[in-house]
Amino acid sequence: DSAIRRLAARVKRIDRLVRVAHADKNGRPPIKSDGYPEGQWLLDKTAELAIQDNAPKPILLGRHLLELGIKPGPHFGKILDRAYEAQLDGAFTEEEQARDYLKKLVREIL
């Protein structure tokens, strides 16, 4: 799942990537196409993860840092980048889990 989330973060729209890959596979005569089951598997998996046509949206935002009493500054971006990487890795999938992760991360960084 984390590899698929990372791919979606990079390409933004997996559905379009699958469409291009399918066209590429079918556009290589004289090779006979057997359909594209890999593409369908990827589309099904991204639908399950709710990222088929968009990159994963960050769960943690600057407002969450403000709620913890952290003053805005250059460290905001670093903290939020690390939190997003953890989200892509599957460390959390819901806001409550994300808040707990953020509290640990802030103690570690600051």
Side-chain angles (χ1 to χ4, degrees):
D1 291 356
S2 66
I4 294 169
R5 283 191 287 269
R6 288 187 177 285
L7 178 62
R10 182 165 290 181
V11 301
K12 307 297 184 234
R13 296 216 32 180
I14 297 255
D15 58 335
R16 290 183 180 167
L17 176 67
V18 169
R19 189 177 320 148
V20 169
H22 185 258
D24 181 58
K25 184 175 181 181
N26 285 333
R28 295 179 181 262
I31 299 171
K32 297 283 187 206
S33 176
D34 62 345
Y36 190 49
E38 304 88 350
Q40 189 57 52
W41 175 86
L42 185 56
L43 289 175
D44 292 344
K45 192 66 176 167
T46 56
E48 179 184 314
L49 296 171
I51 55 172
Q52 189 170 7
D53 60 359
N54 61 348
K57 292 181 180 25
I59 295 173
L60 292 170
L61 304 170
R63 66 182 169 87
H64 295 105
L65 292 171
L66 293 173
E67 289 171 2
L68 291 176
I70 299 170
K71 302 250 188 260
H75 56 285
F76 256 46
K78 292 176 187 171
I79 293 170
L80 293 175
D81 286 346
R82 282 193 51 188
Y84 187 62
E85 290 297 317
Q87 176 184 335
L88 293 177
D89 285 339
F92 53 85
T93 57
E94 298 174 2
E95 189 170 340
E96 191 59 38
Q97 296 170 323
R99 288 174 184 267
D100 291 340
Y101 176 85
L102 183 61
K103 288 174 187 172
K104 291 176 192 171
L105 180 62
V106 167
R107 280 195 300 265
E108 183 181 307
I109 292 177
L110 300 179

